[in-house]
């Protein structure tokens, strides 16, 4: 049996995901998500039902020249319940496309589940900071 899930391991998984996003490292970023993960983004018209749906959108952004310049996480909260955990934070992101930079401030929650291979994200929800 695995050791109990703890805050430190959740923060480590979240930091790995955030670092991959901040580097626009497609392979490392999507490796942080389960293939059946769901995504709810205020910028999209509906729920993305799996990782492949998000990967298609991401590929379009990257193909258009989009990349992340900065990504800062603050106000971090971890809630552990058995083999799952919710990570919530405030996030400031700067992206760039065609030399134009855009800064966004949002709130994000990511649900992680423990698997035999470690923690993996199974849901992400992004909403605008008011």
């Amino acid at each position: 049996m695995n050791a109990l899930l703890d805050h430190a391991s959740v923060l480590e998984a979240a930091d790995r995901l955030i670092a991959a996003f901040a580097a626009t490292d497609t392979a490392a970023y999507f490796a942080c998500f389960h293939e059946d993960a769901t995504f709810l983004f205020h910028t999209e018209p509906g729920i993305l039902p799996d990782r492949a749906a998000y990967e298609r959108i991401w590929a379009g952004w990257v193909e258009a020249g989009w990349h992340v310049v900065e990504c800062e996480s603050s106000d971090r909260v971890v809630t552990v319940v058995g083999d799952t955990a919710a990570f919530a934070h405030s996030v400031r992101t700067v992206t760039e496309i065609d030399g134009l930079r855009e800064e966004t401030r949002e709130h994000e929650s990511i649900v992680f589940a423990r698997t035999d291979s470690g923690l993996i994200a199974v849901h992400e929800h992004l909403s605008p900071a008011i």
Side-chain angles (χ1 to χ4, degrees), residues 21 24-27 29-30 41 44 48 51-67 97:
F21 177 82
T24 319
D25 184 338
T26 300
Y29 180 60
F30 284 104
F41 300 146
E44 294 301 317
L48 303 176
R51 185 179 69 198
Y54 182 19
E55 286 178 295
R56 286 189 294 276
I57 291 169
W58 176 282
W61 296 340
V62 171
E63 185 176 310
W66 173 91
H67 66 278
I97 187 167

Side-chain angles (χ1 to χ4, degrees), residues 60-124:
W61 296 340
V62 171
E63 185 176 310
W66 173 91
H67 66 278
V68 180
V69 177
E70 297 175 35
C71 185
E72 296 176 2
S73 170
S74 62
D75 306 320
R76 297 151 65 95
V77 177
V78 173
T79 304
V80 175
V81 179
D83 283 342
T84 61
F87 168 76
H89 67 144
S90 298
V91 61
R92 184 185 77 83
T93 306
V94 178
T95 57
E96 183 175 61
I97 187 167
D98 293 331
L100 298 173
R101 290 189 177 194
E102 178 182 16
E103 179 177 318
T104 57
R105 293 181 183 270
E106 297 159 308
H107 298 297
E108 180 177 49
S109 57
I110 303 169
V111 177
F112 290 95
R114 182 175 41 204
T115 66
D116 291 338
S117 57
L119 282 179
I120 193 155
V122 296
H123 179 75
E124 180 179 359

